Every structure is written in structure tokens, then in C-alpha cells.
Tab-separated table of all heavy atoms in Angstrom:
chain	number	residue	atom	x	y	z
A	766	GLU	N	65.891	-0.641	-36.443
A	766	GLU	CA	65.360	-0.727	-34.982
A	766	GLU	C	66.379	-1.640	-34.263
A	766	GLU	O	66.533	-1.396	-33.040
A	766	GLU	CB	63.964	-1.367	-35.149
A	766	GLU	CG	62.879	-0.518	-35.649
A	766	GLU	CD	62.883	0.915	-35.017
A	766	GLU	OE1	63.009	0.919	-33.772
A	766	GLU	OE2	62.807	1.911	-35.710
A	767	VAL	N	66.833	-2.657	-34.846
A	767	VAL	CA	67.879	-3.544	-34.154
A	767	VAL	C	69.196	-2.717	-33.979
A	767	VAL	O	69.697	-2.824	-32.849
A	767	VAL	CB	68.138	-4.721	-35.031
A	767	VAL	CG1	69.452	-5.460	-34.494
A	767	VAL	CG2	67.117	-5.729	-35.213
A	768	TYR	N	69.470	-1.778	-34.799
A	768	TYR	CA	70.721	-0.998	-34.546
A	768	TYR	C	70.483	-0.093	-33.358
A	768	TYR	O	71.369	0.028	-32.535
A	768	TYR	CB	71.030	-0.189	-35.856
A	768	TYR	CG	72.136	0.823	-35.728
A	768	TYR	CD1	73.487	0.323	-35.685
A	768	TYR	CD2	72.011	2.115	-35.666
A	768	TYR	CE1	74.568	1.191	-35.576
A	768	TYR	CE2	72.982	2.997	-35.533
A	768	TYR	CZ	74.367	2.565	-35.480
A	768	TYR	OH	75.419	3.408	-35.405
A	769	PHE	N	69.200	0.518	-33.367
A	769	PHE	CA	68.950	1.490	-32.303
A	769	PHE	C	68.992	0.589	-30.805
A	769	PHE	O	69.541	1.039	-29.838
A	769	PHE	CB	67.535	2.102	-32.456
A	769	PHE	CG	67.480	2.874	-33.534
A	769	PHE	CD1	66.293	3.318	-34.112
A	769	PHE	CD2	68.607	3.636	-33.990
A	769	PHE	CE1	66.010	4.100	-35.157
A	769	PHE	CE2	68.374	4.524	-35.075
A	769	PHE	CZ	67.238	4.782	-35.750
A	770	GLU	N	68.336	-0.564	-30.857
A	770	GLU	CA	68.322	-1.376	-29.600
A	770	GLU	C	69.781	-1.787	-29.192
A	770	GLU	O	70.145	-1.765	-28.037
A	770	GLU	CB	67.520	-2.677	-29.896
A	770	GLU	CG	66.074	-2.412	-29.851
A	770	GLU	CD	65.305	-3.581	-29.747
A	770	GLU	OE1	65.775	-4.763	-29.336
A	770	GLU	OE2	64.100	-3.638	-30.230
A	771	ALA	N	70.659	-1.988	-30.209
A	771	ALA	CA	71.955	-2.470	-29.837
A	771	ALA	C	72.713	-1.331	-29.236
A	771	ALA	O	73.495	-1.403	-28.162
A	771	ALA	CB	72.767	-2.945	-31.235
A	772	LEU	N	72.594	-0.150	-29.708
A	772	LEU	CA	73.310	1.073	-29.227
A	772	LEU	C	72.807	1.315	-27.782
A	772	LEU	O	73.496	1.591	-26.862
A	772	LEU	CB	73.064	2.411	-29.986
A	772	LEU	CG	73.557	2.210	-31.546
A	772	LEU	CD1	73.576	3.688	-32.061
A	772	LEU	CD2	75.008	1.688	-31.581
A	773	ASP	N	71.484	1.220	-27.556
A	773	ASP	CA	70.923	1.387	-26.211
A	773	ASP	C	71.420	0.368	-25.190
A	773	ASP	O	71.864	0.722	-24.084
A	773	ASP	CB	69.400	1.346	-26.203
A	773	ASP	CG	68.776	2.452	-26.981
A	773	ASP	OD1	69.415	3.560	-27.076
A	773	ASP	OD2	67.489	2.354	-27.361
A	774	ALA	N	71.674	-0.916	-25.745
A	774	ALA	CA	72.204	-1.854	-24.887
A	774	ALA	C	73.660	-1.746	-24.452
A	774	ALA	O	73.993	-1.894	-23.354
A	774	ALA	CB	72.063	-3.191	-25.559
A	775	LEU	N	74.401	-1.126	-25.438
A	775	LEU	CA	75.805	-0.802	-25.147
A	775	LEU	C	75.926	0.298	-24.065
A	775	LEU	O	76.685	0.195	-23.270
A	775	LEU	CB	76.544	-0.434	-26.439
A	775	LEU	CG	76.712	-1.551	-27.454
A	775	LEU	CD1	77.238	-0.891	-28.758
A	775	LEU	CD2	77.670	-2.494	-26.933
A	776	LEU	N	75.072	1.273	-24.248
A	776	LEU	CA	75.038	2.400	-23.342
A	776	LEU	C	74.640	1.844	-21.858
A	776	LEU	O	75.250	2.230	-20.917
A	776	LEU	CB	74.030	3.515	-23.735
A	776	LEU	CG	74.533	4.264	-24.971
A	776	LEU	CD1	73.412	5.248	-25.508
A	776	LEU	CD2	75.785	5.223	-24.679
A	777	ASP	N	73.593	1.071	-21.816
A	777	ASP	CA	73.100	0.525	-20.577
A	777	ASP	C	74.178	-0.388	-19.894
A	777	ASP	O	74.362	-0.282	-18.792
A	777	ASP	CB	71.780	-0.320	-20.784
A	777	ASP	CG	70.538	0.644	-21.190
A	777	ASP	OD1	70.722	1.788	-20.935
A	777	ASP	OD2	69.635	-0.041	-21.614
A	778	ARG	N	74.845	-1.170	-20.811
A	778	ARG	CA	75.854	-2.050	-20.284
A	778	ARG	C	76.949	-1.305	-19.528
A	778	ARG	O	77.437	-1.698	-18.342
A	778	ARG	CB	76.458	-2.883	-21.338
A	778	ARG	CG	77.420	-3.966	-20.891
A	778	ARG	CD	78.101	-4.585	-22.270
A	778	ARG	NE	77.210	-5.395	-22.936
A	778	ARG	CZ	77.429	-6.036	-24.133
A	778	ARG	NH1	78.709	-5.838	-24.720
A	778	ARG	NH2	76.519	-6.763	-24.676
A	779	THR	N	77.470	-0.265	-20.223
A	779	THR	CA	78.519	0.615	-19.721
A	779	THR	C	78.066	1.288	-18.350
A	779	THR	O	78.872	1.376	-17.368
A	779	THR	CB	78.975	1.516	-20.584
A	779	THR	OG1	79.547	0.971	-21.843
A	779	THR	CG2	80.042	2.431	-19.997
A	780	ASN	N	76.710	1.625	-18.328
A	780	ASN	CA	76.242	2.299	-17.103
A	780	ASN	C	76.273	1.289	-15.836
A	780	ASN	O	76.692	1.714	-14.818
A	780	ASN	CB	74.786	2.757	-17.439
A	780	ASN	CG	74.165	3.413	-16.182
A	780	ASN	OD1	73.878	2.895	-15.217
A	780	ASN	ND2	74.127	4.903	-16.322
A	781	VAL	N	75.896	0.069	-16.052
A	781	VAL	CA	75.840	-0.894	-15.027
A	781	VAL	C	77.296	-1.189	-14.544
A	781	VAL	O	77.521	-1.235	-13.349
A	781	VAL	CB	75.139	-2.190	-15.515
A	781	VAL	CG1	75.378	-3.303	-14.504
A	781	VAL	CG2	73.665	-1.930	-15.746
A	782	MET	N	78.184	-1.336	-15.488
A	782	MET	CA	79.536	-1.733	-15.107
A	782	MET	C	80.322	-0.581	-14.386
A	782	MET	O	81.043	-0.667	-13.470
A	782	MET	CB	80.408	-2.087	-16.289
A	782	MET	CG	79.783	-3.437	-16.905
A	782	MET	SD	80.642	-3.846	-18.481
A	782	MET	CE	82.221	-4.496	-17.712
A	783	MET	N	79.964	0.756	-14.851
A	783	MET	CA	80.514	1.820	-14.190
A	783	MET	C	80.036	1.976	-12.651
A	783	MET	O	80.751	2.416	-11.777
A	783	MET	CB	80.224	3.145	-14.949
A	783	MET	CG	80.901	4.408	-14.317
A	783	MET	SD	82.723	4.409	-14.266
A	783	MET	CE	83.173	4.572	-15.804
A	784	ARG	N	78.680	1.798	-12.449
A	784	ARG	CA	78.218	1.844	-11.078
A	784	ARG	C	78.969	0.814	-10.206
A	784	ARG	O	79.251	1.243	-9.098
A	784	ARG	CB	76.696	1.478	-11.159
A	784	ARG	CG	75.810	2.618	-11.766
A	784	ARG	CD	74.328	2.212	-11.852
A	784	ARG	NE	73.597	3.207	-12.601
A	784	ARG	CZ	72.852	4.222	-11.863
A	784	ARG	NH1	73.231	4.314	-10.535
A	784	ARG	NH2	72.281	4.987	-12.585
A	785	GLN	N	79.169	-0.295	-10.765
A	785	GLN	CA	80.103	-1.200	-9.959
A	785	GLN	C	81.392	-0.789	-9.671
A	785	GLN	O	81.892	-1.041	-8.522
A	785	GLN	CB	80.066	-2.553	-10.687
A	785	GLN	CG	78.688	-3.291	-10.823
A	785	GLN	CD	78.767	-4.554	-11.674
A	785	GLN	OE1	79.694	-4.804	-12.424
A	785	GLN	NE2	77.595	-5.293	-11.641
A	786	LEU	N	82.036	-0.228	-10.684
A	786	LEU	CA	83.350	0.289	-10.487
A	786	LEU	C	83.415	1.464	-9.397
A	786	LEU	O	84.381	1.353	-8.610
A	786	LEU	CB	83.917	0.777	-11.873
A	786	LEU	CG	85.400	1.171	-12.043
A	786	LEU	CD1	85.689	0.872	-13.429
A	786	LEU	CD2	85.642	2.516	-11.563
A	787	ILE	N	82.469	2.295	-9.451
A	787	ILE	CA	82.434	3.411	-8.476
A	787	ILE	C	82.208	2.807	-7.074
A	787	ILE	O	82.867	3.323	-6.120
A	787	ILE	CB	81.141	4.275	-8.790
A	787	ILE	CG1	81.445	5.091	-10.034
A	787	ILE	CG2	80.812	5.193	-7.610
A	787	ILE	CD1	80.318	5.833	-10.543
A	788	GLN	N	81.462	1.718	-6.885
A	788	GLN	CA	81.306	1.306	-5.493
A	788	GLN	C	82.425	0.472	-5.013
A	788	GLN	O	82.701	0.524	-3.871
A	788	GLN	CB	79.986	0.281	-5.571
A	788	GLN	CG	78.715	1.006	-5.604
A	788	GLN	CD	77.480	0.064	-5.679
A	788	GLN	OE1	77.449	-0.829	-6.516
A	788	GLN	NE2	76.663	0.033	-4.705
A	789	ASN	N	83.242	-0.033	-5.973
A	789	ASN	CA	84.472	-0.723	-5.626
A	789	ASN	C	85.671	0.152	-5.359
A	789	ASN	O	86.489	-0.220	-4.417
A	789	ASN	CB	84.801	-1.693	-6.649
A	789	ASN	CG	83.823	-2.864	-6.797
A	789	ASN	OD1	83.100	-3.223	-5.884
A	789	ASN	ND2	83.756	-3.476	-7.966
A	790	PHE	N	85.792	1.236	-5.981
A	790	PHE	CA	87.062	2.015	-5.886
A	790	PHE	C	86.962	3.414	-5.335
A	790	PHE	O	87.979	4.032	-5.067
A	790	PHE	CB	87.676	2.027	-7.296
A	790	PHE	CG	88.088	0.580	-7.771
A	790	PHE	CD1	87.387	-0.078	-8.690
A	790	PHE	CD2	89.233	-0.067	-7.282
A	790	PHE	CE1	87.694	-1.337	-9.016
A	790	PHE	CE2	89.628	-1.278	-7.553
A	790	PHE	CZ	88.780	-2.048	-8.584
A	791	LEU	N	85.784	4.033	-5.311
A	791	LEU	CA	85.762	5.436	-4.892
A	791	LEU	C	85.413	5.473	-3.434
A	791	LEU	O	84.573	4.764	-2.885
A	791	LEU	CB	84.720	6.235	-5.703
A	791	LEU	CG	85.372	6.903	-6.866
A	791	LEU	CD1	86.028	5.915	-7.964
A	791	LEU	CD2	84.396	7.852	-7.475
A	792	PRO	N	85.933	6.389	-2.702
A	792	PRO	CA	85.706	6.511	-1.191
A	792	PRO	C	84.314	7.199	-0.848
A	792	PRO	O	83.826	8.136	-1.649
A	792	PRO	CB	86.779	7.468	-0.668
A	792	PRO	CG	87.060	8.358	-1.841
A	792	PRO	CD	86.835	7.510	-3.096
A	793	GLU	N	83.563	6.779	0.285
A	793	GLU	CA	82.359	7.439	0.584
A	793	GLU	C	82.654	8.779	1.296
A	793	GLU	O	81.937	9.714	1.351
A	793	GLU	CB	81.700	6.518	1.613
A	793	GLU	CG	81.089	5.309	0.828
A	793	GLU	CD	80.267	4.459	1.786
A	793	GLU	OE1	80.789	3.706	2.591
A	793	GLU	OE2	79.086	4.458	1.658
A	794	LYS	N	83.860	8.859	2.084
A	794	LYS	CA	84.173	10.110	2.722
A	794	LYS	C	84.970	10.961	1.700
A	794	LYS	O	85.877	10.510	1.025
A	794	LYS	CB	85.109	9.844	3.872
A	794	LYS	CG	85.502	11.030	4.707
A	794	LYS	CD	86.191	10.667	5.881
A	794	LYS	CE	86.676	11.903	6.665
A	794	LYS	NZ	87.477	11.562	7.888
A	795	PRO	N	84.582	12.268	1.538
A	795	PRO	CA	85.242	13.138	0.590
A	795	PRO	C	86.817	13.203	0.849
A	795	PRO	O	87.224	13.325	2.096
A	795	PRO	CB	84.657	14.471	0.837
A	795	PRO	CG	83.218	14.245	1.347
A	795	PRO	CD	83.570	12.941	2.256
A	796	VAL	N	87.549	13.222	-0.207
A	796	VAL	CA	88.982	13.284	-0.126
A	796	VAL	C	89.394	14.395	-1.182
A	796	VAL	O	88.843	14.393	-2.187
A	796	VAL	CB	89.745	12.035	-0.299
A	796	VAL	CG1	89.502	11.043	0.655
A	796	VAL	CG2	89.393	11.383	-1.675
A	797	SER	N	90.455	15.173	-0.805
A	797	SER	CA	90.859	16.135	-1.748
A	797	SER	C	92.324	15.969	-2.093
A	797	SER	O	93.226	15.448	-1.189
A	797	SER	CB	90.693	17.514	-1.084
A	797	SER	OG	89.334	17.725	-0.867
A	798	PHE	N	92.825	16.504	-3.232
A	798	PHE	CA	94.143	16.499	-3.723
A	798	PHE	C	94.361	17.736	-4.567
A	798	PHE	O	93.448	18.247	-5.265
A	798	PHE	CB	94.421	15.279	-4.552
A	798	PHE	CG	95.908	14.986	-4.875
A	798	PHE	CD1	96.679	14.453	-3.880
A	798	PHE	CD2	96.464	15.437	-6.027
A	798	PHE	CE1	98.051	14.216	-4.170
A	798	PHE	CE2	97.754	15.240	-6.385
A	798	PHE	CZ	98.533	14.574	-5.402
A	799	GLU	N	95.572	18.221	-4.448
A	799	GLU	CA	95.910	19.344	-5.355
A	799	GLU	C	97.319	19.240	-5.990
A	799	GLU	O	98.246	18.546	-5.429
A	799	GLU	CB	95.903	20.630	-4.462
A	799	GLU	CG	96.772	20.656	-3.271
A	799	GLU	CD	96.521	21.669	-2.326
A	799	GLU	OE1	95.408	22.098	-2.046
A	799	GLU	OE2	97.450	22.469	-1.910
A	800	ASP	N	97.347	19.681	-7.084
A	800	ASP	CA	98.721	19.833	-7.827
A	800	ASP	C	98.788	21.223	-8.520
A	800	ASP	O	97.668	22.002	-8.435
A	800	ASP	CB	98.767	18.852	-8.917
A	800	ASP	CG	100.203	18.510	-9.199
A	800	ASP	OD1	101.153	19.175	-9.066
A	800	ASP	OD2	100.422	17.366	-9.851
A	801	TYR	N	99.852	21.535	-9.141
A	801	TYR	CA	100.082	22.955	-9.584
A	801	TYR	C	100.608	23.011	-11.013
A	801	TYR	O	101.407	22.166	-11.415
A	801	TYR	CB	101.041	23.637	-8.598
A	801	TYR	CG	100.491	24.010	-7.209
A	801	TYR	CD1	100.520	22.902	-6.249
A	801	TYR	CD2	100.018	25.140	-6.894
A	801	TYR	CE1	99.946	23.145	-5.048
A	801	TYR	CE2	99.509	25.382	-5.503
A	801	TYR	CZ	99.567	24.371	-4.666
A	801	TYR	OH	99.024	24.587	-3.374
A	802	ILE	N	100.263	24.094	-11.663
A	802	ILE	CA	100.865	24.445	-12.904
A	802	ILE	C	101.937	25.581	-12.645
A	802	ILE	O	101.696	26.481	-11.764
A	802	ILE	CB	99.942	24.970	-13.917
A	802	ILE	CG1	98.943	23.890	-14.348
A	802	ILE	CG2	100.602	25.476	-15.252
A	802	ILE	CD1	97.725	24.341	-15.205
A	803	ASP	N	103.167	25.368	-13.198
A	803	ASP	CA	104.299	26.347	-12.834
A	803	ASP	C	103.787	27.799	-12.982
A	803	ASP	O	103.985	28.585	-12.012
A	803	ASP	CB	105.526	25.987	-13.667
A	803	ASP	CG	106.120	24.789	-13.388
A	803	ASP	OD1	105.809	24.159	-12.422
A	803	ASP	OD2	106.927	24.302	-14.153
A	804	ASP	N	103.407	28.148	-14.047
A	804	ASP	CA	103.101	29.610	-14.508
A	804	ASP	C	102.299	29.724	-15.757
A	804	ASP	O	102.013	28.659	-16.321
A	804	ASP	CB	104.495	30.344	-14.675
A	804	ASP	CG	105.257	29.817	-15.953
A	804	ASP	OD1	105.979	28.724	-15.712
A	804	ASP	OD2	104.987	30.444	-16.889
A	805	ASP	N	101.910	30.940	-16.039
A	805	ASP	CA	101.041	31.143	-17.166
A	805	ASP	C	101.723	31.737	-18.377
A	805	ASP	O	101.175	32.062	-19.361
A	805	ASP	CB	99.782	31.873	-16.850
A	805	ASP	CG	100.158	33.428	-16.564
A	805	ASP	OD1	101.332	33.746	-16.309
A	805	ASP	OD2	99.320	34.258	-16.409
A	806	GLY	N	103.122	31.863	-18.318
A	806	GLY	CA	103.820	32.427	-19.336
A	806	GLY	C	103.826	34.041	-19.309
A	806	GLY	O	104.543	34.634	-20.073
A	807	LEU	N	103.142	34.576	-18.366
A	807	LEU	CA	103.135	36.108	-18.151
A	807	LEU	C	103.854	36.365	-16.861
A	807	LEU	O	103.692	37.550	-16.412
A	807	LEU	CB	101.756	36.591	-18.310
A	807	LEU	CG	101.094	36.408	-19.693
A	807	LEU	CD1	99.673	36.948	-19.549
A	807	LEU	CD2	101.828	37.102	-20.729
A	808	GLY	N	104.384	35.439	-16.162
A	808	GLY	CA	105.005	35.688	-14.783
A	808	GLY	C	104.141	35.412	-13.641
A	808	GLY	O	104.551	35.864	-12.604
A	809	ASN	N	102.922	35.015	-13.943
A	809	ASN	CA	101.998	34.677	-12.813
A	809	ASN	C	102.016	33.159	-12.493
A	809	ASN	O	102.255	32.384	-13.375
A	809	ASN	CB	100.560	35.105	-13.221
A	809	ASN	CG	100.378	36.476	-13.744
A	809	ASN	OD1	100.810	37.312	-12.957
A	809	ASN	ND2	100.020	36.640	-14.912
């Protein structure tokens, strides 16, 4: 039971910290970016 509680606490802790990270570093207005792979080996 202690092991289960510890794992739940670790998952919860990461959840809280990721929410903060999202608010600090991700934009509210949508932004797009594109990059390319040269080819598929078959000439495409």
C-alpha cells in the first residue's frame, strides 16, 4: 500500500510540474512550424 501511494504521488508530482511548465513556456496563440525529410528511398 505504501508502494502504491508512492507511485501515485510521483505521477501527481509530475502532473503539477508539467502544468506549470506549459503555462510558462507554451504560447496561447497557435503557432506552426514545418521541416522536411529528403526522400523515401524510392524517388519520392
